Amino acid sequence: MNAPIMHGGGITAAAASFGGRLEDWLDLSTGINPNPVALPEIPARVWHRLPDRHLIESARHAARDHYRSDAILPLPVPGTQSIIQLLPRLVKRDRKVAILSPTYGEYARAFGAAGFAVDAVGDIEDIGPEHGLAVVVNPNNPDGRIQTADRLEALHERLKAGGGFLVVDEAFGDTSPEASLAPRASGLSNLIIFRSFGKFFGLAGLRLGFAIARGDILARFEDWLGPWAVSGPALSLAGSLLNSDVSAIAGSIAERQAALHAVLAGAGLAVAGGSPLFTLVADVKASDIYTTLCRHHILVRRFDYAPDWLRFGLTPDAADDARLAAALRSFER
């Protein structure tokens, strides 16, 4: 069995090591909107019944309009992590898989566990028709690197020439809509796009995502996931929130990003990348900064493959901006 991937989160483990009640900790280790949206009403029948088809279709139509996926009705899935585990079924075992790296580690883990040879590539020009599938996270996690839609479409054509698939993970795509391939998806037969619902809306605990691809691919995913994969309440919320005006959410995220950058600049930390929902910092003393913050009951994301990196999620308000700034000031270089 492969070793588990180091992810964000993990307040329970951090509190066990550094003390404090869970509610005393400030979790900045994820890329989730720290201010979850107000929940619309969920009808009582949605809790009472198995998810009816009309509820699924309502969520799919709302997702199509929100993600601008043209003729494709996105497939609701119980978090995109659930469908990452299914990707190895799409590819013959003798084909190599390419992953634009470094990035979200579960892709390499899923394919490695299934016996595939995985090429970790640093540029999409290193991906070609010899690969049976390629993964590009766009914007990338953790450095925020963005590939243009034109460049990704060209990559799709290279892979398609060899019968391969392109997977574009747009988990953080709500804050960078100009880079999304969703509006072009209906014309790209070997493209699969994953979208996260919980990060932008601040509802990660809902475990909801969407897959965008041609109908036969989505039908295979739906069959592999089985019936009622997504709960009725999740579908109901998706139908309501994806149909709503999200400009205020985007504005709040931008405001929080600006506040975080001001705190980091005040602490003399160099921004190495990021997206509106997280910021990557590079510092030779990252490990010591991490420990100092933990002693103040603030958790950020560290990286086993890049010991000089720390990823900071957004703080929810000005009071926590001040709390983070005070903790950083206590760090002695």
Side-chain angles (χ1 to χ4, degrees), residues 241-257:
L241 292 174
L242 290 174
N243 276 324
S244 67
D245 181 358
V246 300
S247 58
I249 302 172
S252 172
I253 289 171
E255 179 182 297
R256 290 285 83 226
Q257 180 192 29

Side-chain angles (χ1 to χ4, degrees), residues 52-101:
D52 287 329
R53 194 70 207 177
H54 81 276
L55 200 59
I56 298 172
E57 292 306 312
S58 177
R60 296 187 74 172
H61 280 84
R64 180 194 63 189
D65 295 344
H66 181 81
Y67 299 131
R68 299 178 296 124
S69 59
D70 193 22
I72 293 178
L73 291 175
L75 176 69
V77 299
T80 50
Q81 180 60 48
S82 68
I83 206 166
I84 289 173
Q85 315 299 128
L86 302 177
L87 286 176
R89 301 190 189 188
L90 288 176
V91 192
K92 292 182 179 179
R93 196 66 57 84
D94 60 353
R95 300 294 302 275
K96 294 195 298 181
V97 171
I99 300 175
L100 188 63
S101 303

Side-chain angles (χ1 to χ4, degrees), residues 216-291:
D216 62 312
I217 296 174
L218 294 185
R220 294 167 75 179
F221 284 143
E222 190 170 19
D223 179 58
W224 293 337
L225 287 169
W228 314 301
V230 178
S231 74
L235 293 168
S236 178
L237 288 175
S240 297
L241 292 174
L242 290 174
N243 276 324
S244 67
D245 181 358
V246 300
S247 58
I249 302 172
S252 172
I253 289 171
E255 179 182 297
R256 290 285 83 226
Q257 180 192 29
L260 174 62
H261 282 194
V263 171
L264 297 176
L269 294 177
V271 173
S275 82
L277 282 167
F278 60 83
T279 296
L280 184 68
V281 163
D283 196 286
V284 294
K285 294 191 175 182
S287 179
D288 294 333
I289 296 171
Y290 174 87
T291 300

Side-chain angles (χ1 to χ4, degrees), residues 124 138 146-154 178-181 184:
I124 64 173
N138 196 50
I146 290 179
Q147 306 295 330
T148 66
D150 287 343
R151 201 169 187 222
L152 289 173
E153 185 170 344
E178 72 286 349
S180 176
L181 268 189
R184 308 186 189 192

Side-chain angles (χ1 to χ4, degrees), residues 134-225:
V135 177
V136 178
V137 179
N138 196 50
N140 190 44
N141 175 17
D143 60 12
R145 177 173 39 166
I146 290 179
Q147 306 295 330
T148 66
D150 287 343
R151 201 169 187 222
L152 289 173
E153 185 170 344
L155 172 59
H156 170 271
E157 296 306 305
R158 294 202 302 273
L159 290 163
K160 180 182 174 182
F165 296 93
L166 172 61
V167 175
V168 180
D169 184 332
E170 297 183 355
F172 295 97
D174 288 78
T175 56
S176 302
E178 72 286 349
S180 176
L181 268 189
R184 308 186 189 192
S186 61
L188 302 177
S189 63
N190 288 28
L191 173 68
I192 302 164
I193 298 173
F194 294 156
R195 296 294 298 242
S196 170
F197 180 85
K199 292 179 174 60
F200 180 74
F201 290 100
L203 300 172
L206 200 64
R207 306 310 306 136
L208 177 65
F210 289 89
I212 302 171
R214 70 187 190 206
D216 62 312
I217 296 174
L218 294 185
R220 294 167 75 179
F221 284 143
E222 190 170 19
D223 179 58
W224 293 337
L225 287 169

